[in-house]
């Protein structure tokens, strides 16, 4: 790392402010990533991930068609129950 030379205290203050903001951004990114990890480790998401990865193998060529149709069928069924 090179040694920086400053000609005024204002430059030093500006550099410190930039470093402070960069630190806050890094902490926010870390917090966001930890939230993602926690969500991915929830049981429902683990099951969804395992089923999603094996679905094409199990269903073969019809897997994509069924995967696209399921949300529409789900909406249709819940609309019928709501009436």
């Amino acid at each position: 790392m090179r040694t920086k030379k400053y000609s005024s205290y204002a430059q030093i203050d500006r550099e410190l402010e930039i470093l402070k903001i960069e630190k806050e951004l890094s902490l926010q990114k870390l917090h966001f990533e930890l939230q993602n990890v926690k969500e991915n480790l929830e049981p429902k998401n683990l099951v969804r991930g395992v089923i999603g990865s094996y679905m094409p193998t199990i269903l073969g060529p019809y897997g994509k068609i069924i995967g696209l149709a399921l949300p529409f069928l789900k909406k249709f069924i819940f609309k019928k129950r709501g009436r």
Side-chain angles (χ1 to χ4, degrees):
M1 218 172 147
R2 283 185 10 205
T3 303
K4 292 186 179 182
K5 295 189 181 205
Y6 300 100
S7 60
S8 69
Y9 286 110
Q11 287 180 336
I12 295 170
D13 288 339
R14 179 176 161 83
E15 185 73 21
L16 288 172
E17 188 66 29
I18 290 170
L19 290 172
K20 180 181 173 184
I21 291 170
E22 287 176 349
K23 178 183 172 184
E24 289 175 16
L25 281 172
S26 295
L27 288 173
Q28 287 296 323
K29 285 180 185 178
L30 178 64
H31 179 72
F32 181 71
E33 291 298 322
L34 286 174
Q35 286 299 110
N36 283 340
V37 168
K38 282 174 56 176
E39 287 176 13
N40 288 335
L41 291 177
E42 289 179 358
K44 67 178 181 180
N45 292 331
L46 285 173
V47 170
R48 185 178 297 144
V50 169
I51 290 174
S53 64
Y54 288 109
M55 192 69 78
T57 306
I58 295 168
L59 298 176
Y62 301 107
K64 285 191 177 190
I65 296 170
I66 293 171
L68 291 172
L70 282 177
F72 295 111
L73 289 171
K74 185 177 168 183
K75 282 183 183 179
F76 179 75
I77 291 170
F78 284 116
K79 282 184 181 178
K80 287 282 188 178
R81 285 186 178 178
R83 289 185 185 176

